[in-house]
Amino acid sequence: MTVLVTGGAGFIGSNFIFHQLEAHPEDRIVCLDKLTYAGNLSTLQSVMDHPSFRFVKADICDREAVDRLFEEEHPDIVVNFAAESHVDRSIENPGIFLETNIMGTAALMDACRKFGVTRFHQVSTDEVYGDLPLDRPDLLFTETTPLHTSSPYSSSKAGADLLVMAYYRTYHLPCTISRCSNNYGPYQFPEKLIPLMIANALNDKPLPVYGEGKNVRDWLYVEDHCKAIDLIIRKGRVGEVYNIGGHNEMANIDIVRLICRELGKPESLITYVGDRKGHDLRYAIDPAKIHGELGWLPETMFADGIRKTIRWYLDHKSWWEEIISGEYQTYYERMYGNR
Ligand code: NAD
Ligand code: TYD
């Protein structure tokens, strides 16, 4: 079987490729990635020469390039990770989010219709449900929670989800969607909360906490997300949405304090900065459906996962130091300079 993984040079896609090559050595994996600022070929270095792996640099919005690849590879399964993924960037410049996340998903699904696949899987996010109040811990996102987005990022992901369901109903494209909570782990781009705080703390730089740091996210170790997607694409029911999350809600400030403790850095590095516009208060996933139907449960507890992640960033300094020495500096200045 051939699995086409789009966005595989990014954080979750690369972890998914590593997992697939190990868990399904009989399958061929083809990665299509545009290599935007968030895509990094050095992440895939260890598998570039793998006999079951091929990397192709292309844009999912480029219909000719996508069709050419389908003609060559005839993928059985397509897993779409390719996206613009950072909320703060979407607030600055929504256009590219609409382009990649919506139009790109449509281009991929049109190729799936034209060439035929057994599954198109859309990697979505819990952010499509909007946010939950901080004072109602009993409320969780289920698959039937209405879509109610806050940011250009989440709106573009919700737009793609609606389109996926339309392609399922109208053209009977065999689709599934997964909506996962916040991921953490190796190879996450250091613009996101956890790797940004680790990198800054290691460089003794201020740790910029938005607002009062009380916003809550539901954290899942990336490998657990990859295992869930693997189950969905092989055993999940077409036309279905599956929420993925491990009941691990934490306030941002508690994560930042934990990182300080683990690295032996003073909490005086913590700096409260202006809040994100439209900042979602709380995300929390109810994973009962994927647990009941597919037997999925998270395997890595947060206390272990965060230590493994910190260890990884300590052991792979050259990976992130190279990133933060480039264009990232201009981004950082723009985003945090006058905050
Ligand atoms: P990422 O930003 O680390 O990686 C995105 C990858 O997509 C990069 O390799 C980039 O080069 C590639 N890409 C971007 N535009 C492209 C295009 N037009 N054509 C081809 N490739 C393109 O993102 P991530 O954190 O790995 O997220 C992957 C997916 O998972 C996204 O769809 C995101 O919405 C979703 N998701 C992420 C999280 C999270 O916590 N990171 C949680 C839930 C869902
Ligand atoms: P992020 O990693 O951007 O993920 P998302 O916004 O998709 O959940 O942010 C996680 C939380 O951390 C979010 O509430 C915003 C907050 N945050 C900060 O307080 N400071 C930062 O520098 C960043 C990047 C995020």
Side-chain angles (χ1 to χ4, degrees), residues 86-88 127 153 182 191-194 196-197 208-210 215 217 219 252 276 279-280 283 336:
H86 191 39
V87 173
D88 292 324
E127 301 192 27
Y153 163 68
N182 286 61
E191 67 189 350
K192 303 280 167 56
L193 179 75
I194 289 181
L196 184 142
M197 296 299 167
V209 171
Y210 298 168
N215 303 61
R217 297 294 183 263
W219 294 93
N252 295 337
R276 174 185 279 173
H279 199 173
D280 278 339
Y283 303 142
Y336 296 93

Side-chain angles (χ1 to χ4, degrees), residues 72-85:
E72 286 168 17
E73 296 287 351
H74 285 282
D76 300 282
I77 297 180
V78 176
V79 187
N80 183 26
F81 291 94
E84 289 293 333
S85 70

